[in-house]
Amino acid sequence: MAGASDIEALKSELLAAVDGAGDEAALEGLRVEALGKKGKISLMMRSLGQMSPEERQVMGPALNGLKDTIGEAITAKKAAMEDAALDARLATERADVSLPIRPEPRGKLHPVTQVMEELAVIFSDMGFTVAEGPDVEDDFHNFTALNFPEGHPARDTHDTFFMKPREDGSQMVLRTHTSPVQIRTMMSETPPIRIIAPGRVYRCDWDQTHTPMFHQVEGLVIDKGAHMGHLKGVLMDFLAAFFETDTVEARFRPHHFPFTEPSAEMDVKYSRVGEAVKIGEGDSWMEILGCGMVHPNVIKSCGLDPDEYQGFAWGMGVDRLAMLKYGAPDLRDYFANDTRWLAHYGFSPLLQANLATGLS
Ligand code: 2U9
């Protein structure tokens, strides 16, 4: 029959075994061996029945105490094993968030993409939305609706790329300006309209300042009370934001476009700073964009009443804006796909243009 010394011996033996258990399976084996139905402690408990009441009074609590002690030791050892496993996993999976990202970013945004982003940010802030349309256009949207009469010499100044004639004799063109986008918007939406239309345009021309494909951004406002004062305000605010200056000095010279009446070219004062220019200082004037009030014939072509609605519009070259702001001097380099040029003149894709922390 088991005595107090047997209980002490079993306790030491089991505690040592729990302490030495190498993994959770060994621990589970120990639990069965000690506390299971046929375990050592259970067998000892069974012998309580053969004891005298006095012995039972001593041995009963002692055996229950042993059962609790071993149960607690197993639970504690199991928790320690789980903690150690978690610590080991965390050590192998640790990430140093202060390290620069890998692989190092190598791609750059093209200056034209950067300028397009900047334009969208500036004009969105003024309440404009960005509109897009197809590169291949029909004659109506590219010319007729914009008040270029058929056979009129103004069509020739656009150096148009014509597609193969279709069976009915009509010919699609590569759009020579983004103005067809505004035509489509005026025909499908109800004023007030405030949009910018950035995108690729095509003209058959190739030298240091002309490429057969280039980028334009045009803007259009159609509303009942729109006037030249609004046009001037929008353009002055745009130039100040884009060239990041408080002082824009501008003049409007009368000009002619078929789609606007009156029409003007806008010049700004500038000085040269290395390859780029500084707008708002200096003594020279530079033409920056064309603009005007939308011609009543254009408003009529889009199904709107020119006695009710008027509007203003402007257009400028995005590539030229990029050259002025960021200084890459030869337009042909913009489309040469030279990664050394892009590494020098490109922009980080991780730094998005915004008005709060700066455009570029
Ligand atoms: C609609 C009505 C009017 C868009 C305009 C200009 C003046 C202009 C040139 C600048 C340099 C093109 O890239 S460039 O060669 N554009 O001077 N564009 S007003 O006028 C519109 C457009 C659409 C319905």
Side-chain angles (χ1 to χ4, degrees), residues 307-350:
D307 290 329
E308 187 180 5
Y309 288 111
Q310 45 195 333
F312 55 86
W314 68 92
M316 55 201 153
V318 175
D319 318 275
R320 175 137 181 276
L321 283 177
M323 290 169 97
L324 292 174
K325 186 164 177 181
Y326 297 117
D330 190 329
L331 185 59
R332 287 170 295 198
D333 292 337
Y334 275 63
F335 309 114
N337 287 334
D338 186 333
T339 52
R340 292 164 304 172
W341 184 89
L342 196 58
H344 180 76
Y345 286 107
F347 292 82
S348 165
L350 301 175

Side-chain angles (χ1 to χ4, degrees), residues 155-172:
R155 290 185 183 221
D156 301 339
T157 64
H158 274 218
D159 300 312
T160 314
F161 284 111
F162 290 92
M163 311 297 280
K164 243 205 222 124
R166 292 186 293 196
E167 292 213 332
D168 64 3
S170 67
Q171 249 177 318
M172 300 290 275

Side-chain angles (χ1 to χ4, degrees), residues 146 179 182-183 214 216 218 257 259 290-291 298 313-317:
L146 285 150
S179 312
Q182 287 97 293
I183 294 294
F214 62 105
Q216 276 187 348
E218 293 190 350
F257 301 111
F259 32 80
C291 58
V298 174
W314 68 92
M316 55 201 153

Side-chain angles (χ1 to χ4, degrees), residues 34-51:
L35 305 170
K37 260 190 194 165
K38 293 181 184 160
K40 290 179 178 167
I41 298 176
S42 308
L43 288 178
M44 278 191 171
M45 284 199 147
R46 250 176 247 163
S47 68
L48 284 175
Q50 291 142 32
M51 292 179 192

